[in-house]
Amino acid sequence: MIRIAAVGDLHYGVDTRNLLRPGFEHLAERADVLLLAGDLTRCGDPAEAQVLAEEIRDLPIPRVAVLGNHDYHADQEDRVRGILEEAGVRVLEGESIVLEIDHARLGIAGSKGFGGGFTGACGSDFGEPEMKAFVGHTKKVADRLENALRRLDTDLKVALLHYAPVEQTLVGERLEIYPFLGSYLLAEAVDRAGADLVFHGHAHHGIERGMTPGGIPVRNVAQPVIRHAYNVYSLEPKLERDRVLAAS
Amino acid sequence: METPDDYLTEDLRDRLIHDPRVYEQDLTIRIDQRKLTVGGNVTTAERQQAITDAARELLPGYEIANETTVVPSSEPDSEERLR
């Protein structure tokens, strides 16, 4: 059994030192890996990233993250990423990582993702350069996510995003802002490449549970949604499950 | 001419998003009869107070109702087994 702790939208600032330290106290006993689903800082200030880095530097389990839109605001996302990686956090953008946990291989592909909307009500890369850039960016990051997932040949595959891949986890948000909260292109990428579970954040007023059209579970782990320091999701790796089935 | 409440609402929301004390995109703003109501989630009680302080500066003379909630950050009670 692999236990994945996940949370997003921590919005760390220089005023939140030790905010999650009590909540993380027993994390290593409850989970094998911690995933951070973006918006780790308030405005992408490296000083904010440093506060979070110190908070999670000594956690004795692997830590994997994607950045979110807030982490880009100060145009210093490379420094934010560098600070987190220096603290032992692997930050993914169109990339993947493989972790060996309890004799099983967990593959994580990550991307910030982007907006654009959902089937029947989404933008197209048509018209002004700004519109082409907006939707074009989503297409680009969705392609990268798909490729990163395809490269994984692991017992479990997880997609880690900031923006939402499905509408279901946005229930509670105003319909008018759905195109700024995510894109179906992200779900399509996951369904094409295959995965066991998808995490995202960004939708603070949404709900936790959804599913891609292809049947892959989606969990919105924005902290205002889960209302804990993290939530834990456990999955049995395919190999272990297959062995049990074969034995019976 | 006094700014209509619709424009004032969005102007205030935009100012709060960019205010270094707040930097919060997630707030719901309502202005009615010179009363401002702010909702949404915040990380700490200090940030909650900062919203009230910033709103008072930006809309002097308005009644401010800060209905934001501080998000708990305790350990989870259970785990979800997916399969």
Side-chain angles (χ1 to χ4, degrees), chain A residues 13 23 56 72 79 82 93 98 113 118 149 153 161 169 182 230 239-240:
Chain A
I56 59 178
Y72 279 73
R79 286 190 64 196
E93 180 47 61
V98 177
F118 299 89
L149 280 167
D153 179 21
L161 298 164
T169 49
Y230 56 89
L239 278 181
E240 188 177 329

Short mmCIF file of all heavy atoms in Angstrom, two decimals, chain A residues 13 23 56 72 79 82 93 98 113 118 149 153 161 169 182 230 239-240:
data_model
loop_
_atom_site.label_atom_id
_atom_site.label_comp_id
_atom_site.label_asym_id
_atom_site.label_seq_id
_atom_site.Cartn_x
_atom_site.Cartn_y
_atom_site.Cartn_z
N GLY A 13 3.76 32.85 3.50
CA GLY A 13 4.33 34.19 3.50
C GLY A 13 5.32 34.30 4.62
O GLY A 13 5.48 33.37 5.42
N GLY A 23 0.79 20.60 12.17
CA GLY A 23 0.02 19.71 11.31
C GLY A 23 0.87 18.64 10.65
O GLY A 23 0.38 17.57 10.30
N ILE A 56 9.61 22.44 5.67
CA ILE A 56 9.52 21.06 5.17
C ILE A 56 10.88 20.44 4.86
O ILE A 56 10.95 19.30 4.43
CB ILE A 56 8.61 20.98 3.91
CG1 ILE A 56 9.14 21.87 2.79
CG2 ILE A 56 7.19 21.36 4.25
CD1 ILE A 56 8.30 21.79 1.52
N TYR A 72 4.16 32.46 -9.55
CA TYR A 72 4.70 33.13 -10.73
C TYR A 72 4.56 34.66 -10.66
O TYR A 72 5.13 35.37 -11.48
CB TYR A 72 3.99 32.64 -12.00
CG TYR A 72 4.49 31.31 -12.53
CD1 TYR A 72 4.18 30.12 -11.87
CD2 TYR A 72 5.26 31.24 -13.68
CE1 TYR A 72 4.63 28.90 -12.35
CE2 TYR A 72 5.71 30.03 -14.17
CZ TYR A 72 5.39 28.87 -13.50
OH TYR A 72 5.85 27.66 -13.99
N ARG A 79 13.66 31.26 -9.01
CA ARG A 79 14.25 31.34 -7.66
C ARG A 79 13.40 30.58 -6.65
O ARG A 79 13.92 29.92 -5.76
CB ARG A 79 14.41 32.80 -7.24
CG ARG A 79 15.57 33.49 -7.97
CD ARG A 79 15.86 34.84 -7.37
NE ARG A 79 16.31 34.76 -5.99
CZ ARG A 79 16.33 35.79 -5.16
NH1 ARG A 79 15.93 36.98 -5.56
NH2 ARG A 79 16.76 35.65 -3.92
N GLY A 82 14.20 27.05 -7.15
CA GLY A 82 15.54 26.75 -6.65
C GLY A 82 15.58 26.62 -5.14
O GLY A 82 16.25 25.74 -4.59
N GLU A 93 7.74 20.48 -13.68
CA GLU A 93 6.98 21.23 -14.68
C GLU A 93 7.15 20.52 -16.02
O GLU A 93 8.18 20.66 -16.68
CB GLU A 93 7.44 22.69 -14.75
CG GLU A 93 6.65 23.52 -15.79
CD GLU A 93 5.13 23.33 -15.69
OE1 GLU A 93 4.56 23.64 -14.64
OE2 GLU A 93 4.52 22.85 -16.67
N VAL A 98 10.42 9.19 -10.33
CA VAL A 98 10.04 7.84 -9.89
C VAL A 98 10.59 7.63 -8.49
O VAL A 98 11.78 7.86 -8.24
CB VAL A 98 10.61 6.76 -10.85
CG1 VAL A 98 10.26 5.37 -10.33
CG2 VAL A 98 10.05 6.96 -12.26
N GLY A 113 -0.16 23.28 -15.17
CA GLY A 113 -1.40 23.32 -15.94
C GLY A 113 -1.76 24.77 -16.25
O GLY A 113 -0.95 25.68 -16.06
N PHE A 118 -13.82 24.18 -20.07
CA PHE A 118 -14.18 22.77 -20.17
C PHE A 118 -15.11 22.54 -21.35
O PHE A 118 -15.69 23.49 -21.89
CB PHE A 118 -14.79 22.31 -18.85
CG PHE A 118 -13.80 22.47 -17.72
CD1 PHE A 118 -13.72 23.65 -16.99
CD2 PHE A 118 -12.89 21.46 -17.45
CE1 PHE A 118 -12.77 23.81 -16.00
CE2 PHE A 118 -11.94 21.62 -16.45
CZ PHE A 118 -11.88 22.80 -15.73
N LEU A 149 3.77 11.67 -18.42
CA LEU A 149 3.07 10.47 -17.94
C LEU A 149 3.42 9.25 -18.79
O LEU A 149 3.60 8.14 -18.27
CB LEU A 149 1.56 10.70 -17.97
CG LEU A 149 0.96 11.49 -16.81
CD1 LEU A 149 -0.47 11.92 -17.12
CD2 LEU A 149 0.99 10.68 -15.51
N ASP A 153 6.96 4.17 -16.48
CA ASP A 153 6.61 2.75 -16.53
C ASP A 153 6.70 2.25 -15.09
O ASP A 153 7.67 1.61 -14.69
CB ASP A 153 7.58 2.01 -17.46
CG ASP A 153 7.26 0.53 -17.51
OD1 ASP A 153 6.12 0.15 -17.18
OD2 ASP A 153 8.17 -0.25 -17.85
N LEU A 161 -1.05 18.49 -10.45
CA LEU A 161 -1.36 19.74 -11.15
C LEU A 161 -1.69 20.84 -10.15
O LEU A 161 -1.98 20.55 -8.98
CB LEU A 161 -2.59 19.55 -12.04
CG LEU A 161 -2.51 18.53 -13.16
CD1 LEU A 161 -3.91 18.19 -13.67
CD2 LEU A 161 -1.66 19.10 -14.30
N THR A 169 -14.78 19.00 -9.64
CA THR A 169 -14.19 19.47 -8.39
C THR A 169 -14.29 21.00 -8.24
O THR A 169 -13.77 21.56 -7.29
CB THR A 169 -12.71 19.04 -8.30
OG1 THR A 169 -12.07 19.38 -9.53
CG2 THR A 169 -12.59 17.55 -8.05
N GLY A 182 -9.24 26.02 -14.82
CA GLY A 182 -8.68 24.79 -15.36
C GLY A 182 -9.08 24.55 -16.80
O GLY A 182 -9.67 25.41 -17.45
N TYR A 230 -3.06 18.46 5.36
CA TYR A 230 -2.94 17.61 4.16
C TYR A 230 -4.02 16.55 4.28
O TYR A 230 -4.63 16.39 5.35
CB TYR A 230 -1.54 16.93 4.10
CG TYR A 230 -1.21 16.14 5.32
CD1 TYR A 230 -1.55 14.80 5.46
CD2 TYR A 230 -0.55 16.74 6.40
CE1 TYR A 230 -1.27 14.08 6.60
CE2 TYR A 230 -0.26 16.03 7.56
CZ TYR A 230 -0.63 14.71 7.66
OH TYR A 230 -0.35 13.99 8.80
N LEU A 239 1.23 -4.14 -9.15
CA LEU A 239 1.97 -5.40 -9.04
C LEU A 239 1.53 -6.19 -7.83
O LEU A 239 1.28 -7.39 -7.90
CB LEU A 239 3.47 -5.10 -8.94
CG LEU A 239 4.20 -4.84 -10.25
CD1 LEU A 239 5.65 -4.59 -10.00
CD2 LEU A 239 3.99 -5.98 -11.21
N GLU A 240 1.41 -5.47 -6.70
CA GLU A 240 1.03 -6.14 -5.46
C GLU A 240 -0.38 -6.71 -5.59
O GLU A 240 -0.65 -7.83 -5.21
CB GLU A 240 1.08 -5.12 -4.31
CG GLU A 240 0.90 -5.72 -2.94
CD GLU A 240 1.03 -4.66 -1.87
OE1 GLU A 240 1.81 -3.68 -2.08
OE2 GLU A 240 0.34 -4.78 -0.85
#
